[in-house]
């Protein structure tokens, strides 16, 4: 099997000042993940590495660069899933951690659970020896400015939600195993404790060797209503191509609940798609040593 990786840096409207950085960032992430696959590494390692690369990049709404909640704090969600045995790990509403995707993987591999939240996730991170990153270090000037603007009485937070920047990756390795990973800072000025689609299995991502893997981005509440990631794989199980399955599911989300978003998909034969109903989505893929974006 020829390995393939696809990554996204979020669907929405990519503001001008972020365009070049997010384009460069997704290509860097895809190449880092592909480097692992090329050496015979697992899809799981590849998607984790790709997402970690984007969490460390302040151009994206994940890890450093995450948007702020109503109190001006960073609260992040992440999920990772292994298509071989349907194992998954996720964290939600986590603070003071540079790479939530790493913590999600530890939840999957070191506990009998699938999702840890807030304080419990924090205690688990300490037990696993993950260093604490001061909250301030995760906050960029762009996120703080957006938070301030949204506090203005005549502001329209919805306008700012169009530039989201959740990150994700899907891959298939040389053994034919698929995996997905997704990480986000959520919605700007969200209520404290709000958890979106990212940490919810079947919504923010899903991976199953029997069909493929997908990672989603967009309006979280809409994605949860239609369980978007699983819906795409369902369409593929019915015989649709990754592109057709993605378009069909995105169209359903738009007509049924008025939600917009984007998805990346890879099937179990290595065919891939990157589709979106929003204005833009930054994405990149590497297959046969060729980059597409």
């Amino acid at each position: 099997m020829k390995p393939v990786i696809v990554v996204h840096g979020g669907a929405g409207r990519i503001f001008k000042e972020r365009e070049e950085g997010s384009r460069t960032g997704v290509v860097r992430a895809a190449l880092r993940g592909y480097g692992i696959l090329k050496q015979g590494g697992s899809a799981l390692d590849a998607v984790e590495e790709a997402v970690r690369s984007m969490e460390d990049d302040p151009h994206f709404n994940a890890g450093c660069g995450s948007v702020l909640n109503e109190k001006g704090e960073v609260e992040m969600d992440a999920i990772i899933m292994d298509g071989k045995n349907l194992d998954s790990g996720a964290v939600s509403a986590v603070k003071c951690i540079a790479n939530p995707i790493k913590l999600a993987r530890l939840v999957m591999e070191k506990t009998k659970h699938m999702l840890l939240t807030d304080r419990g996730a924090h205690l688990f991170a300490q037990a696993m020896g993950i260093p604490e990153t001061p909250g301030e270090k995760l906050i960029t000037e762009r996120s703080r400015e957006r938070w301030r603007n949204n506090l203005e009485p005549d502001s329209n937070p919805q306008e700012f939600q169009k530039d989201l920047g959740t990150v994700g990756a899907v891959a298939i390795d040389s053994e034919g195993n698929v995996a997905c990973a997704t990480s986000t800072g959520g919605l700007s000025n969200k209520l404290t404790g709000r958890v979106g689609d990212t940490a919810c299995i079947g919504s923010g991502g899903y991976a199953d060797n029997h069909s493929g893997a997908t990672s989603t981005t967009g309006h979280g509440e809409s994605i949860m209503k239609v369980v978007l990631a699983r819906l795409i794989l369902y369409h593929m199980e019915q015989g649709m191509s990754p592109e057709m399955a993605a378009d069909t599911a995105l169209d359903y989300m738009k007509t049924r609940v008025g939600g917009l978003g984007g998805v990346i998909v890879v099937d179990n034969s290595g065919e891939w798609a990157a589709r979106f109903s929003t204005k833009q989505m930054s994405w990149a893929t590497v297959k046969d040593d060729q980059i597409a974006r």
Side-chain angles (χ1 to χ4, degrees):
M1 171 67 69
K2 283 185 177 171
V4 183
I5 187 164
V6 193
V7 307
H8 72 73
R13 186 184 72 200
I14 302 166
F15 290 131
K16 272 280 177 277
E17 73 272 13
R18 206 167 67 78
E19 216 166 290
E20 194 45 51
S22 51
R23 206 173 282 142
T24 312
V26 288
V27 170
R28 187 189 302 119
L31 287 170
R32 277 172 72 163
Y34 189 72
I36 289 172
L37 294 171
K38 204 157 181 222
Q39 289 165 3
S42 70
L44 207 55
D45 286 346
V47 294
E48 182 188 354
E49 182 55 39
V51 165
R52 198 195 298 215
S53 163
M54 292 184 285
E55 285 176 339
D56 292 341
D57 186 330
H59 289 96
F60 301 108
N61 174 18
C64 173
S66 289
V67 298
L68 311 185
N69 66 13
E70 58 177 353
K71 291 197 167 141
E73 301 166 328
V74 164
E75 284 186 324
M76 302 164 289
D77 305 333
I79 193 168
I80 193 165
M81 187 166 181
D82 185 351
K84 191 167 25 178
N85 47 19
L86 305 190
D87 278 353
S88 177
V91 292
S92 65
V94 295
K95 301 172 183 167
C96 304
I97 286 169
N99 297 109
I101 200 65
K102 183 180 180 186
L103 189 58
R105 179 145 184 196
L106 287 169
V107 170
M108 176 173 85
E109 293 181 343
K110 304 288 186 192
T111 78
K112 291 179 179 160
H113 307 312
M114 285 173 64
L115 170 60
L116 290 181
T117 192
D118 197 2
R119 178 149 171 74
H122 180 72
L123 293 172
F124 176 66
Q126 284 180 326
M128 290 291 108
I130 289 190
E132 209 169 298
T133 303
E136 288 296 308
K137 280 207 160 165
L138 300 173
I139 298 175
T140 59
E141 197 38 58
R142 189 171 63 94
S143 294
R144 200 186 292 285
E145 192 182 322
R146 172 182 299 189
W147 174 71
R148 272 196 221 104
N149 289 342
N150 284 342
L151 292 178
E152 298 291 326
D154 58 347
S155 82
N156 176 12
Q158 257 52 53
E159 192 50 36
F160 286 96
Q161 304 304 4
K162 291 175 182 168
D163 179 38
L164 288 169
T166 291
V167 305
V170 295
I172 185 165
D173 60 31
S174 52
E175 310 232 308
N177 295 313
V178 298
C180 72
T182 312
S183 182
T184 190
L187 293 175
S188 191
N189 296 65
K190 62 189 177 179
L191 292 181
T192 302
R194 177 263 187 188
V195 176
D197 63 296
T198 297
C200 301
I201 189 170
S203 291
Y206 203 82
D208 184 349
N209 281 6
H210 292 174
S211 46
T214 182
S215 168
T216 68
T217 170
H219 184 246
E221 281 70 14
S222 299
I223 290 170
M224 286 191 275
K225 286 175 186 176
V226 302
V227 198
L228 185 63
R230 190 64 190 85
L231 181 60
I232 291 166
L233 293 191
Y234 166 77
H235 288 317
M236 281 157 60
E237 287 160 3
Q238 307 306 304
M240 283 189 193
S241 68
E243 188 168 311
M244 172 75 96
D247 286 348
T248 304
L250 284 168
D251 188 53
Y252 175 71
M253 183 168 83
K254 189 175 178 180
T255 53
R256 188 74 178 87
V257 297
L260 301 179
V263 299
I264 50 172
V265 192
V266 66
D267 71 10
N268 56 8
S269 64
E271 292 301 305
W272 62 273
R275 309 293 289 170
F276 48 97
S277 53
T278 50
K279 204 166 180 186
Q280 291 165 288
M281 179 175 79
S282 56
W283 62 272
T285 181
V286 190
K287 183 178 184 177
D288 293 328
D289 291 337
Q290 299 293 310
I291 301 172
R293 60 180 187 174

